[in-house]
Amino acid sequence: MKVIQFTVPVADEGSVVVQEDILPYFYHYLHRHKEAQITLILKGEGTLIAGNYTQPFKAGEIYVIGANQPHMFKGDAKYFENQQEKNIHAIHIFFDHEHTLMGLLALPEMDAVRKFLTQARSSLQLPPQYEERFAPDVIRISRITGAERLLAFMHLLLQMTRQVKDWKSLSTGFSRHAYSESEGLRMNDIYQYTLEHYSENITLGKIAQVAHLTTYAFCKYFKKHTRKTYLEFLNEIRINAACKKIISGEYDSIASVAYATGYNNPITFNRVFRKVTGMSPSTYARQYRFGSENAHRDGLLLTLEELG
């Protein structure tokens, strides 16, 4: 299992490389590469880990992952149940702006783009209101080659730099990319186990065994590498899963969401949910329903306007 250094399929494709994944599941190992990447999720959902940041991801979203940042798009468990289906679809644009494209980006006209790429070192998410604007550009880049692709890609960067305000940073204020390979393997094992067993009672003793450390050594090790405790990380993963359940509507009650995501006590779940999201689960559910109803209404109005 190669975790740290992922080799981008460059071949003779050029300085901007596109990989389109139409697969049963996402590449689900913690990995990094010297290229930065822009990723458009067309189908599928799950949990994104970028450095020591975690959040849910879903179709329609666009991410800029910084060069050499360990990351993983971990699809939901349901994608591993039927591996004959093409459950996910994503387009990744890889580019090495620190070497291959350095000369082009050194031009004075590219000053704003250079600053944007510096900002993107710890990874960014495109704000939702811009997704429909830029998704067709990413798709177009995946369909063309050669100089046309390079020019279209530089145009994409320029437009993102000029038009997009308030990018969502995926940085927690602590960035440590210099994992050794053995550290990367160990962190991958920790992340994988947590993502697959978050609904169970994961004790510190159990996760320390996964990492092949004593409990005390594990706590120090995890805090050193992520600047958060393991319990904080586990709560983030559980609350991410809870948010997805609430959004999907696949639950009978808030208490059932709590039990399904590893909490034995709904009161504890409410407290942790509020700490992670800034609101209670019931408020989150109401806000999502209200937003969905508005989106449906706006979409209907747009359709009616288009019809005449």
Side-chain angles (χ1 to χ4, degrees):
M1 188 190 326
K2 190 73 172 174
V3 180
I4 287 300
Q5 204 59 46
F6 177 84
T7 302
V8 171
V10 178
D12 297 321
E13 204 172 339
S15 52
V16 177
V17 179
V18 172
Q19 177 177 308
E20 185 167 7
D21 294 335
I22 305 175
L23 300 166
Y25 49 83
F26 295 95
Y27 182 76
H28 58 291
Y29 297 113
L30 186 69
H31 65 285
R32 70 180 180 188
H33 34 76
K34 62 185 177 63
E35 297 85 359
Q37 77 184 65
I38 295 175
T39 291
L40 165 63
I41 306 295
L42 289 164
K43 181 181 180 183
E45 59 185 28
T47 299
L48 166 64
I49 294 178
N52 65 333
Y53 183 93
T54 63
Q55 72 166 41
F57 70 86
K58 64 181 187 300
E61 295 177 342
I62 297 176
Y63 294 91
V64 182
I65 305 295
N68 287 309
Q69 179 161 63
H71 62 282
M72 167 172 54
F73 288 91
K74 175 74 170 180
D76 286 345
K78 61 186 177 183
Y79 299 138
F80 298 90
E81 296 170 2
N82 184 356
Q83 298 188 21
Q84 303 303 313
E85 295 291 329
K86 304 301 184 185
N87 296 310
I88 69 100
H89 187 185
I91 295 174
H92 311 282
I93 302 174
F94 299 101
F95 58 102
D96 185 356
H97 61 94
E98 296 180 349
H99 300 94
T100 307
L101 297 177
M102 183 173 63
L104 182 58
L105 290 169
L107 296 171
E109 293 86 351
M110 305 302 290
D111 181 59
V113 173
R114 286 197 307 276
K115 291 178 180 177
F116 166 67
L117 292 174
T118 298
Q119 179 189 5
R121 283 177 179 168
S122 295
S123 301
L124 302 169
Q125 180 183 353
L126 186 74
Q129 64 268 31
Y130 297 100
E131 290 170 356
E132 290 187 9
R133 159 67 183 84
F134 286 103
D137 292 341
V138 175
I139 294 170
R140 178 173 178 270
I141 290 169
S142 73
R143 302 290 185 259
I144 57 180
T145 58
E148 275 189 299
R149 173 181 286 179
L150 175 60
L151 292 173
F153 174 69
M154 297 311 297
H155 184 261
L156 171 66
L157 289 182
L158 281 167
Q159 294 307 306
M160 283 182 163
T161 301
R162 292 171 177 170
Q163 297 182 19
V164 180
K165 306 297 181 184
D166 301 321
W167 283 86
K168 179 179 180 180
S169 173
L170 305 187
S171 170
T172 59
F174 172 72
S175 181
R176 186 181 189 276
H177 296 167
Y179 291 150
S180 67
E181 184 168 338
S182 61
E183 287 174 330
L185 287 165
R186 178 173 281 161
M187 291 302 293
N188 179 75
D189 289 344
I190 294 166
Y191 287 157
Q192 293 286 352
Y193 187 88
T194 305
L195 289 164
E196 292 169 9
H197 299 275
Y198 66 83
S199 62
E200 303 169 14
N201 179 27
I202 304 179
T203 64
L204 284 175
K206 177 59 182 177
I207 196 64
Q209 287 179 358
V210 171
H212 304 290
L213 294 168
T214 67
T215 302
Y216 176 75
F218 169 78
C219 291
K220 288 187 64 178
Y221 179 87
F222 194 85
K223 187 69 177 287
K224 173 185 174 183
H225 284 77
T226 66
R227 290 292 176 92
K228 63 179 73 171
T229 67
Y230 178 74
L231 181 58
E232 289 171 333
F233 171 71
L234 176 59
N235 280 330
E236 289 174 359
I237 297 298
R238 286 173 167 171
I239 297 305
N240 285 345
C243 289
K244 286 189 286 187
K245 285 185 178 295
I246 291 172
I247 288 171
S248 70
E250 298 174 358
Y251 65 98
D252 297 323
S253 64
I254 295 298
S256 70
V257 176
Y259 297 131
T261 52
Y263 293 95
N264 296 323
N265 186 331
I267 295 176
T268 301
F269 171 71
N270 275 270
R271 175 177 55 78
V272 176
F273 193 100
R274 187 184 295 274
K275 182 178 180 180
V276 173
T277 67
M279 65 183 76
S280 69
S282 55
T283 300
Y284 184 89
R286 283 196 301 272
Q287 286 199 2
Y288 180 77
R289 281 199 300 270
F290 179 74
S292 297
E293 289 166 1
N294 280 349
H296 176 74
R297 180 201 63 197
D298 293 344
L300 179 61
L301 288 175
L302 179 60
T303 303
L304 290 173
E305 289 172 0
E306 290 173 342
L307 289 173

Short mmCIF file of all heavy atoms in Angstrom, two decimals, residues 5 50 53 57 63 144 149 209 212 235 242 245 254 262 264 306:
data_model
loop_
_atom_site.label_atom_id
_atom_site.label_comp_id
_atom_site.label_asym_id
_atom_site.label_seq_id
_atom_site.Cartn_x
_atom_site.Cartn_y
_atom_site.Cartn_z
N GLN A 5 3.69 8.77 -1.72
CA GLN A 5 3.98 9.35 -3.03
C GLN A 5 3.17 8.68 -4.12
O GLN A 5 3.39 7.53 -4.47
CB GLN A 5 5.47 9.25 -3.35
CG GLN A 5 5.93 10.29 -4.36
CD GLN A 5 5.69 11.72 -3.89
OE1 GLN A 5 5.99 12.07 -2.75
NE2 GLN A 5 5.15 12.56 -4.74
N ALA A 50 -7.79 16.35 3.99
CA ALA A 50 -6.72 17.13 3.36
C ALA A 50 -5.83 17.65 4.48
O ALA A 50 -6.24 18.52 5.26
CB ALA A 50 -7.29 18.28 2.55
N TYR A 53 -7.38 18.26 7.98
CA TYR A 53 -8.73 18.81 7.86
C TYR A 53 -9.66 17.72 7.33
O TYR A 53 -9.30 16.95 6.43
CB TYR A 53 -8.71 20.00 6.90
CG TYR A 53 -10.05 20.69 6.75
CD1 TYR A 53 -10.37 21.78 7.55
CD2 TYR A 53 -10.99 20.25 5.83
CE1 TYR A 53 -11.60 22.42 7.42
CE2 TYR A 53 -12.21 20.89 5.70
CZ TYR A 53 -12.51 21.97 6.51
OH TYR A 53 -13.72 22.59 6.38
N PHE A 57 -17.81 15.46 1.30
CA PHE A 57 -17.84 16.00 -0.06
C PHE A 57 -18.99 15.34 -0.81
O PHE A 57 -19.44 14.25 -0.45
CB PHE A 57 -16.51 15.77 -0.79
CG PHE A 57 -16.22 14.33 -1.14
CD1 PHE A 57 -16.69 13.77 -2.31
CD2 PHE A 57 -15.46 13.53 -0.28
CE1 PHE A 57 -16.42 12.44 -2.65
CE2 PHE A 57 -15.19 12.20 -0.61
CZ PHE A 57 -15.68 11.66 -1.79
N TYR A 63 -12.62 21.27 -5.83
CA TYR A 63 -11.55 21.47 -4.85
C TYR A 63 -10.23 21.78 -5.55
O TYR A 63 -9.97 21.28 -6.65
CB TYR A 63 -11.37 20.22 -3.99
CG TYR A 63 -12.55 19.91 -3.11
CD1 TYR A 63 -13.58 19.07 -3.55
CD2 TYR A 63 -12.67 20.47 -1.84
CE1 TYR A 63 -14.67 18.80 -2.76
CE2 TYR A 63 -13.77 20.20 -1.04
CZ TYR A 63 -14.77 19.36 -1.51
OH TYR A 63 -15.86 19.10 -0.71
N ILE A 144 -10.09 18.26 -24.25
CA ILE A 144 -9.16 18.78 -25.25
C ILE A 144 -7.74 18.44 -24.85
O ILE A 144 -7.47 18.02 -23.71
CB ILE A 144 -9.32 20.30 -25.43
CG1 ILE A 144 -9.14 21.05 -24.10
CG2 ILE A 144 -10.69 20.61 -26.04
CD1 ILE A 144 -9.28 22.54 -24.19
N ARG A 149 -5.47 22.71 -24.42
CA ARG A 149 -5.71 22.39 -23.00
C ARG A 149 -4.94 23.35 -22.10
O ARG A 149 -5.48 23.86 -21.11
CB ARG A 149 -5.30 20.95 -22.70
CG ARG A 149 -5.36 20.62 -21.21
CD ARG A 149 -4.93 19.20 -20.91
NE ARG A 149 -5.96 18.26 -21.33
CZ ARG A 149 -5.84 16.93 -21.21
NH1 ARG A 149 -4.73 16.41 -20.73
NH2 ARG A 149 -6.83 16.14 -21.59
N GLN A 209 -3.67 0.21 19.13
CA GLN A 209 -3.25 -1.08 18.59
C GLN A 209 -3.15 -1.03 17.07
O GLN A 209 -2.23 -1.60 16.47
CB GLN A 209 -4.25 -2.17 18.99
CG GLN A 209 -4.19 -2.56 20.46
CD GLN A 209 -5.23 -3.62 20.79
OE1 GLN A 209 -6.01 -4.04 19.94
NE2 GLN A 209 -5.23 -4.06 22.04
N HIS A 212 -0.02 0.42 16.23
CA HIS A 212 1.13 -0.30 16.79
C HIS A 212 1.91 0.56 17.77
O HIS A 212 3.15 0.62 17.74
CB HIS A 212 2.05 -0.82 15.68
CG HIS A 212 1.34 -1.69 14.68
ND1 HIS A 212 0.88 -2.96 14.98
CD2 HIS A 212 0.99 -1.46 13.39
CE1 HIS A 212 0.28 -3.47 13.90
NE2 HIS A 212 0.34 -2.58 12.93
N ASN A 235 -14.70 12.75 16.49
CA ASN A 235 -15.96 13.51 16.53
C ASN A 235 -16.23 14.21 15.20
O ASN A 235 -17.37 14.27 14.75
CB ASN A 235 -15.93 14.52 17.67
CG ASN A 235 -16.25 13.89 19.02
OD1 ASN A 235 -16.99 12.91 19.09
ND2 ASN A 235 -15.68 14.43 20.08
N ALA A 242 -23.06 12.31 10.38
CA ALA A 242 -24.39 12.71 10.85
C ALA A 242 -25.00 13.77 9.93
O ALA A 242 -26.19 13.70 9.60
CB ALA A 242 -24.30 13.24 12.28
N LYS A 245 -26.37 12.13 6.87
CA LYS A 245 -27.62 11.43 7.13
C LYS A 245 -28.79 12.41 7.23
O LYS A 245 -29.88 12.16 6.71
CB LYS A 245 -27.52 10.62 8.43
CG LYS A 245 -26.69 9.36 8.30
CD LYS A 245 -26.72 8.56 9.59
CE LYS A 245 -25.93 7.27 9.43
NZ LYS A 245 -26.54 6.36 8.44
N ILE A 254 -33.56 12.48 15.45
CA ILE A 254 -32.20 12.93 15.74
C ILE A 254 -31.50 11.89 16.61
O ILE A 254 -30.30 11.62 16.43
CB ILE A 254 -32.22 14.30 16.43
CG1 ILE A 254 -32.78 15.38 15.50
CG2 ILE A 254 -30.81 14.68 16.90
CD1 ILE A 254 -31.97 15.61 14.24
N GLY A 262 -22.30 6.43 16.23
CA GLY A 262 -21.36 6.06 17.28
C GLY A 262 -21.58 6.69 18.63
O GLY A 262 -20.76 6.50 19.53
N ASN A 264 -23.72 6.90 22.10
CA ASN A 264 -24.67 6.14 22.92
C ASN A 264 -25.66 7.03 23.64
O ASN A 264 -26.63 6.54 24.20
CB ASN A 264 -23.91 5.28 23.95
CG ASN A 264 -23.05 4.24 23.28
OD1 ASN A 264 -23.44 3.67 22.26
ND2 ASN A 264 -21.87 3.98 23.84
N GLU A 306 -37.23 30.17 -18.58
CA GLU A 306 -36.66 29.66 -19.81
C GLU A 306 -37.73 29.26 -20.82
O GLU A 306 -37.55 29.36 -22.02
CB GLU A 306 -35.75 28.45 -19.50
CG GLU A 306 -34.48 28.85 -18.78
CD GLU A 306 -33.69 27.64 -18.35
OE1 GLU A 306 -34.27 26.53 -18.30
OE2 GLU A 306 -32.50 27.79 -18.04
#
